[in-house]
Amino acid sequence: MRARYESFFRRSLDEREAFWREQAELIHWEKPFDQVCDDSKLPFANWFVGGTTNLCYNSVDRHLAERADQPAIIWVSTEQEREEKITYRQLHEQVNALAAVLQEQGVVKGDRVLIYMPMIPEALVAMLACVRLGIIHSVVFGGFASHALASRIDDAKPKMVITADAGLRGGKAVNYKPLLKKGMNEAMADAPMVLTVNRGVATEAVEIPGELDYATEMAKHAGAVVDPVWVESSHPSYILYTSGTTGKPKGVQRDTGGHAVAMRASLKHIYGVEPGETMFSGSDIGWVVGHSYIVYAPLLTGATTIVYEGLPIRPDPGIWWRIVQDHKVNCLFTSPTAIRLLKKSGEEWIHKYDLSSMRSLFLAGEPLDKETHRWVMDALKCPVVDNYWQTETGWPILTNFMGLGLMELKHGSPSLPAYGYDVILVDEQTAQPVGPNQKGSLMIRPPLPPGCMTTVYGDDERFVSTYFSRFKEPLYATFDYAMYDEDGYYFIMGRDDDVINVAGHRMGTREVEEALCLHPAVAEAAAVGIKDEIKGQEIEAFVVLMANVEPPTTDELRQSVARELGPIAKPKYLHIVTSLPKTRSGKVIRRAIQSLAEGGDPGDLPTIEDATVLDQIRGAVKDRS
Ligand code: ATP
Ligand code: MG
């Protein structure tokens, strides 16, 4: 398997044109491209130059001949206790009707539409109707508050917002309309039109002048046929913001042709999902995993995608496994956080269900600690693939390959570089490439492969200055710190601006956190570096314990790090807390912890899940001296 991977990978870089020309055959081109990659203006790259295509046509129309009656979407809502199957034919009808609505309202190619919706099928219909017409969508995670909405409205200047009366979370309504109204008032941009799916679940209603009702408009256009607008390959398909873990979210812009090819190819080679099979990504359409692996990759493939509205532990921690059993899911994709949450509830939930359809579990978004990796792989008895990527790239940079042939899986490692990525690890000071078992900044030599961000929306200059100006040579910075072993397997050590330097010893936050997680009583940990007069920095750690364990002393936990990594890595301070500050997508916000630990202000945290968690950190830090 390794030989097959090596030749596939080498060819993607050494014979780039031929390699991607072949991959491009996986989608329909209305007009063939004349050039595979224009890299004359690096770091900007233009893929499949001269070709025209359409994302919606490739995701829906193209499958009608063979799979009109196959479900495209299976919607499962544990919030409304409902399930619904939408075939490719029905999806085609709905997308066409909505495209007709957009046309009637004068929304055209190049305009932006903001989608602020819960996990309901209409959200996917909205995304597809937009790209059918060459309209650029900007999906905002449902439940982000008004300020996040306002800044995204000002950035994208949308002509229309498609929303719902409310989302549901843990049995409670999240009323979208009051948040949207407030966001629109706060925004400077012209007020967009509003089209609302009225589910009848809101507990607070507000009027927005001129608002259109989704059901009424769709009924007017039932049976409409709207030809797809063929757009040039480089035409933007969507804008999506990064999670905001390390600072202000960045607006990632993606093209159409490269995106379609990358999505279709990744489902085949990496995830190993074939047409007619079923994929379940337990994420949200507001994040990149949702865009790529709930919506575009499965639909471009002609697979069935599960759209889940609900929590992973409600009505009980067996819900995802029940969905896998009932709908014969072949590939499940979620985050390490979700698996750690399920791990806390115990393995018995997994064994209650027949999971024989499931060939693999993919996890991404943050470090997958060794212990959790081992646990979930033992419990599921199927490969669990850690894959590392970013909103910016849209698909894995480092991964293992179910489609090409699975290679050895090492706990704690997202395996090897994906085809198309010329990954290079460099010393963050000298910019020189580092060898095996040495730590460095993870960079990518341009051009970035198809499907990756083409620019920062509306700001080419920021694209270059943010991502390509780390060193003299214009390399793409992932802002992550990593290492590879003798077999070429990578290990992500944390964010590179979070590297802790204790008396000249550089350590990734992940190393300390991983060492803490090896202690059986520890569920989660966050480590940060704090200023120290003598050593430069000292380590301060925050630990969440497993439920129902005898709490260890903080000293015992500090000692266990020293045992794993040596005395230099022993945290000077360690606190046991009940939760860590996280983004809405479940990532630990270390910069907030660090500023509090250094006696500062946590700063502006627009994407934080629960700001009250910060009080505990503040309290812990205050009590230490
Ligand atoms: P922002 O860029 O706004 O600060 P963010 O980096 O968290 O936020 P995302 O694009 O959602 O935004 O996340 C990508 C980052 O998540 C990666 O750069 C990396 O730090 C982390 N990550 C993703 N997958 C993995 C993985 N498998 N292992 C370790 N870290 C991962
Ligand atoms: Mg990032």
Side-chain angles (χ1 to χ4, degrees), residues 505-523:
H505 295 266
R506 301 203 315 278
M507 260 168 291
T509 48
R510 160 107 188 249
E511 293 176 81
V512 181
E513 293 163 6
E514 180 89 54
L516 285 164
C517 287
L518 287 175
H519 192 288
V522 174

Side-chain angles (χ1 to χ4, degrees), residues 108 158 179 337 397 466-467 469 484 506 533 548 567 572 610:
V108 297
L179 293 169
T337 316
I397 303 169
T466 304
Y467 295 103
S469 37
Y484 61 89
R506 301 203 315 278
E533 295 275 309
N548 314 320
K572 176 153 185 198
D610 175 6

Side-chain angles (χ1 to χ4, degrees), residues 242-246 250 365 367 386-387 389-391 480 495 587:
T242 57
S243 296
T245 314
T246 61
K250 299 164 279 262
D386 181 3
N387 56 133
W389 46 293
Q390 309 180 300
T391 307
D480 288 308
R495 310 276 181 159
K587 293 155 186 274

Side-chain angles (χ1 to χ4, degrees), residues 343-361:
K343 182 175 154 201
K344 276 195 200 164
S345 323
E347 202 177 316
E348 58 277 15
W349 291 102
I350 295 184
H351 301 305
K352 275 179 75 162
Y353 299 95
D354 172 7
L355 306 181
S356 55
S357 62
M358 201 169 129
R359 286 195 304 266
S360 62
L361 167 66

Side-chain angles (χ1 to χ4, degrees), residues 461-521:
E461 205 272 315
R462 188 166 173 220
F463 177 60
V464 179
S465 65
T466 304
Y467 295 103
F468 293 92
S469 37
R470 185 66 173 272
F471 303 116
K472 213 185 289 144
E473 190 187 348
L475 299 172
Y476 171 84
T478 63
F479 302 106
D480 288 308
Y481 197 54
M483 191 189 86
Y484 61 89
D485 67 10
E486 295 79 9
D487 298 331
Y489 274 62
Y490 280 80
F491 293 81
I492 301 291
M493 322 292 288
R495 310 276 181 159
D496 65 5
D497 47 4
D498 287 343
V499 167
I500 307 174
N501 192 329
V502 183
H505 295 266
R506 301 203 315 278
M507 260 168 291
T509 48
R510 160 107 188 249
E511 293 176 81
V512 181
E513 293 163 6
E514 180 89 54
L516 285 164
C517 287
L518 287 175
H519 192 288

